[in-house]
Amino acid sequence: MSVVLGVACEDNGHFSAVTCLVDDVLVTSHTWLDGIVDACRTWRGVNEGEAWYKYDPGDATDLRPITVAGQRIKIHGPIRGEPLKPEASMWRRVLFSFCHTEPRPEVVILARDLDGYPKRAEGIKQVREGIRWPFRIVVAAAQPEIEAWRACGFTPADERERERLEALRRELSFDPTTQSHRLTSHPNDAPTDAKRVLTRLCDGAPERVDACLKDLAALRTRGRLNGAADFLGEIDEHIVPLFSSPR
């Protein structure tokens, strides 16, 4: 029997990053999962047959209220008497939608670029902590965007990669691998744009970009200010224990 993990994110890039990290942490924590992790967990979105979900207001117009541990959860109004923080309404609707899926996930991962707006994280936190949900919630909040996580996992593998990194250090006046939280997500043509910097670091090679997420130790150390380390910690806390023994 596989563990069902729900994912709500912005695009395939987010889905690829968060699921890669979840699998790698699982295999690192439980070596018995090596080679069989695909059979032991299932990704799902809100709709039948989808691996991840992107919020659409039209999907949340007719949600039934639910009751968890005797508490009726409302889809409208304040949370614990407090006004809604930025994007809290959206995330509440997303999580409501997952409540009505079958099978219902044991964990829902919410992936969101902060884009330099830390108040977005406050909205997610309000919804997660202010309402009792029937599943665990894991947050992947990237600052400024998910490409910064890949940048902070980049370690030069040869002289050409070292030269590319050194050139970027000179241009930016900071190291984009150890200070990736200082990168930006807009405008896209800015020297500090995370997508642009990542492309230059990896010379545009997709396989090299993917490899940047494989160094979990680097992500835990360098990703303390861009959200990557926090996400890995949440995987440790909320997902790893679900696989404590062969299922």
Side-chain angles (χ1 to χ4, degrees), residues 9 12-13 60 86 97 107 147 167 184 187 202 208 221 226 233:
C9 56
N12 273 315
S97 297
V107 177
E147 286 77 13
T184 58
C202 298
R208 184 65 181 94
T221 300
N226 71 8

Side-chain angles (χ1 to χ4, degrees), residues 28 33 54 129 135 150 163 171 191 209 215 231 240 247:
T28 299
L33 284 169
K54 181 173 182 178
E129 298 181 1
F135 37 62
R150 296 181 185 275
E163 290 174 356
E171 292 176 28
V209 170
D215 189 343
F231 178 56
V240 168
R247 298 168 68 97

Side-chain angles (χ1 to χ4, degrees), residues 15-104:
F15 176 75
S16 174
V18 299
T19 56
C20 172
L21 291 173
V22 168
D23 281 353
D24 285 354
V25 171
L26 284 175
V27 171
T28 299
S29 302
H30 300 303
T31 55
W32 61 269
L33 284 169
D34 193 12
I36 63 168
V37 69
D38 283 343
C40 296
R41 59 94 188 99
T42 301
W43 309 112
R44 73 156 300 151
V46 167
N47 302 306
E48 184 87 26
E50 67 181 11
W52 59 277
Y53 172 70
K54 181 173 182 178
Y55 176 67
D56 181 345
D59 294 334
T61 57
D62 188 28
L63 290 178
R64 304 177 305 281
I66 63 170
T67 300
V68 179
Q71 176 186 0
R72 191 167 188 245
I73 301 177
K74 300 178 181 179
I75 194 169
H76 302 292
I79 295 176
R80 290 188 178 177
E82 295 291 330
L84 297 186
K85 296 184 183 295
E87 299 192 342
S89 177
M90 176 183 77
W91 292 118
R92 180 164 56 180
R93 287 176 176 272
V94 167
L95 293 171
F96 246 97
S97 297
F98 276 104
C99 287
H100 295 292
T101 60
E102 183 60 43
R104 179 185 286 170

